[in-house]
Amino acid sequence: MNTSTLYNPHVKPFPNFQDISTPFIPLDYTLGTLLILCSLVGIPGNISAALFFASTPGRDWVATLYTIICSVDTVTCLAHVPVVVALFRERKPGVFNDQLFCSLWDILYTTLQKISIFLVLVLSTTRTIIIVNPLNKIRIKTVVGCVVGYMFILLLIPLLQYLILPLRGEYKYSWDGAYCYYNFQMRFEHAVNLVMVGLPPILTFFTLLVTVFKLSMDREDLEDTGSVIKEWKNRANITIAMFTSLFLVCNLPLFINLMHNMATSFFGVEYPGVYLSTRFMFWYSWHIARMESVVVNAALNPVLYYCRMRKYRAWCNVAGKKLLPGGVGRFTTYYFGYRSRETPTFQMVPTQNTALDLE
């Protein structure tokens, strides 16, 4: 396929390697359908979860982190729409053919991805600190400050890449990924990107190990004391551990690909190399790692909240009953019922620890 005259220069030439020249069209349709299903589950699920966490009485850093995570996941479940269109159109770039859109989309999606990785690290680390030292108090201003500072750094990076000529790379449309990406010009940029995307999951994994070990020790104490409060705390900690584990499993393909990409770049191996030499790996390795796994993770998070958090499940059940018979008006009244004259059917009573209220 000659694409040099059909699309703008930032669209890479259609791959023409022996035995891997075309993707599997049925598989493209399947993956596109999966992304659509993730949107149908993830967008309403994350919006409802964000509303629940945001309206939690006595909201602390736990509820604040969950609210931000749900907001990021909502946008993530929506940002892949141009990729779905490309999958159903034999990977033709479509709106990605516009260079400005291609650049802005990659900046948005990459920022969402890195923020999500950082948020999970913050949630897991702060929870581990409290488990190890229960007397340690995490301030909401500290958590929000870390998140805002990290977001500022992420937005500053593309600006510096544009202003500093030696770092100025190009945004390209990749046929094998069905998305746009930033083409790094220097190995230093590869290293920085690997640290920002690859290091947080490693740190998160170690905090998960500490959490699991401490939970196993607390389980023995719980059997001896039979404390209800301690059981609630353990349930909240287990929920965060499951949330972290889901994140690590879904982001493992991306981490493996980044490590491979860094190694091949360092040793000067010509693309696609041995790892991507098969037809399936060439066309789907990066797509699954960067798109499918990330979006599936964002869509499954509210499902995990619903299954693990009893009060969120009750909140959804009551909200659903108010939405179906009475329409949007009664549903809005329910959302903000604690501020109106109408008393909602279900209302949380805050305790000293909001993490317990979420369960």
Side-chain angles (χ1 to χ4, degrees), residues 197-356:
V197 179
L199 183 59
I202 296 176
L203 299 177
T204 303
F205 176 73
F206 282 111
T207 60
L208 176 63
L209 292 180
V210 175
T211 300
V212 172
F213 174 76
K214 196 69 172 68
L215 287 175
S216 63
M217 300 296 293
D218 289 346
R219 176 62 63 180
E220 298 178 0
D221 297 338
L222 181 61
E223 293 176 354
D224 296 334
T225 61
S227 171
V228 176
I229 296 296
K230 198 163 188 178
E231 181 181 358
W232 285 356
K233 287 183 178 180
N234 273 6
R235 183 176 178 85
N237 293 333
I238 292 173
T239 300
I240 293 179
M242 294 176 65
F243 173 83
T244 305
S245 301
L246 176 63
F247 161 80
L248 291 174
V249 171
C250 290
N251 283 270
L252 183 61
L254 177 62
F255 180 74
I256 293 175
N257 274 26
L258 286 174
M259 292 296 295
H260 169 265
N261 194 38
M262 185 67 181
T264 54
S265 176
F266 180 80
F267 291 106
V269 178
E270 186 177 353
Y271 189 84
V274 178
Y275 178 69
L276 302 175
S277 60
T278 64
R279 185 181 178 188
F280 175 83
M281 292 298 293
F282 178 84
W283 286 103
Y284 298 99
S285 178
W286 274 108
H287 174 79
I288 292 176
R290 192 166 184 234
M291 294 302 308
E292 302 288 336
S293 299
V294 175
V295 176
V296 167
N297 186 195
L300 289 180
N301 283 338
V303 177
L304 177 62
Y305 306 148
Y306 187 86
C307 294
R308 291 290 304 175
M309 299 180 179
R310 300 169 184 173
K311 293 192 175 181
Y312 171 59
R313 187 161 58 247
W315 185 91
C316 289
N317 293 338
V318 174
K321 291 178 181 178
K322 288 185 174 291
L323 174 64
L324 294 178
V328 178
R330 294 187 62 189
F331 192 38
T332 305
T333 304
Y334 169 72
Y335 275 152
F336 306 101
Y338 61 90
R339 296 179 180 176
S340 66
R341 296 180 180 178
E342 180 182 347
T343 302
T345 306
F346 175 78
Q347 188 173 15
M348 295 187 296
V349 179
T351 65
Q352 294 180 349
N353 190 342
T354 309
L356 302 184

Side-chain angles (χ1 to χ4, degrees), residues 32-47 74 77-78 80-81 295 299 302-303:
T33 304
L34 176 60
L35 291 177
I36 294 175
L37 293 176
C38 287
S39 293
L40 296 177
V41 174
I43 293 177
N46 280 296
I47 290 177
T74 301
C77 289
L78 185 63
H80 62 74
V81 172
V295 176
V303 177

